[in-house]
Amino acid sequence: MRKALYPGSFDPITNGHVDILERAAKIFDLVEVAVLENPSKEPLFTVEERVRMIEEIFRGKEKIKVGSFRGLLVEYAKKTGAQVIIRGLRAISDFEYEFQMALMNFKMEPQIEIIFMMPRVEYSFLSSKLVKEIYSLGGTLPDLVPPAVDRELKKKFNDT
Ligand code: ADP
């Protein structure tokens, strides 16, 4: 079975991520969204909240699963039996960081392949950070985030 991991913060997941996942699911038997628990970042949503939103979005989709991890990505990939890591590459600004990370992961675990997928053009300037900024200022982006995310963002910012 060909299994791929799609790791990231997903704070929160956007339609750019969803697009990559749906396209990746056509290539692999199973794709796991691996939500990173990163103690050095201060997220808006807890890992549990992020996982719950992703579960809601992909409910009924057999080929897309959700998990979370801490520590080294390559260790998590080995542990979960994934042969491939998928990352998204947006505008040129992603390139340098992704290139460094990919080479480092490849050095640590040469058995694992790292594959980059480009977003559709309408999502190429979309980021979780920008989405959070806009909702925090009272704006909404219903075309750019799934309904579950739109709902949770409104809840988060109306409650504060
Ligand atoms: P990280 O903190 O690891 O960058 P993100 O949640 O921001 O986590 O992103 C996870 C992955 O999805 C990364 O590979 C990132 O480049 C990619 N990505 C983020 N936004 C988009 C988008 N709009 N379209 C396609 N890929 C994206």
Side-chain angles (χ1 to χ4, degrees):
M1 190 180 75
R2 287 261 143 220
K3 175 174 174 181
L5 281 186
Y6 182 37
S9 311
F10 304 103
D11 185 38
I13 190 165
T14 69
N15 285 350
H17 298 125
V18 171
D19 171 48
I20 297 279
L21 272 160
E22 287 177 339
R23 286 162 47 212
K26 293 184 189 153
I27 305 172
F28 297 98
D29 300 311
L30 184 65
V31 184
E32 177 180 329
V33 189
V35 178
L36 173 66
E37 290 185 50
N38 187 349
S40 67
K41 271 195 189 175
E42 215 171 276
L44 176 64
F45 292 102
T46 65
V47 170
E48 292 72 28
E49 288 172 326
R50 284 178 263 163
V51 166
R52 237 181 285 134
M53 278 186 273
I54 299 168
E55 278 170 353
E56 180 178 336
I57 295 160
F58 294 107
R59 195 167 294 144
K61 298 236 160 125
E62 291 280 296
K63 293 177 90 180
I64 301 175
K65 295 261 175 305
V66 193
S68 62
F69 74 105
R70 285 167 190 254
L72 284 179
L73 173 61
V74 287
E75 290 302 324
Y76 186 68
K78 270 201 285 186
K79 201 173 91 186
T80 55
Q83 302 94 345
V84 174
I85 291 169
I86 298 169
R87 294 284 289 173
L89 261 194
R90 286 164 295 182
I92 309 160
S93 52
D94 276 342
F95 183 78
E96 196 175 347
Y97 174 70
E98 292 294 339
F99 193 63
Q100 277 183 0
M101 286 277 292
L103 291 180
M104 203 48 98
N105 282 328
F106 195 52
K107 180 163 177 55
M108 286 188 286
E109 193 45 66
Q111 298 299 326
I112 291 176
E113 286 298 339
I114 300 152
I115 288 183
F116 291 95
M117 291 181 69
M118 276 182 284
R120 291 216 306 247
V121 70
E122 59 265 42
Y123 303 134
S124 40
F125 291 96
L126 176 61
S127 69
S128 302
K129 183 164 176 263
L130 209 52
V131 166
K132 285 183 280 192
E133 257 170 49
I134 288 168
Y135 276 81
S136 76
L137 298 170
T140 61
L141 296 168
D143 295 345
L144 298 181
V145 296
V149 173
D150 175 67
R151 184 192 68 219
E152 293 305 314
L153 279 164
K154 284 177 182 157
K155 243 200 258 171
K156 199 60 103 180
F157 290 112
N158 288 339
D159 288 353
T160 49

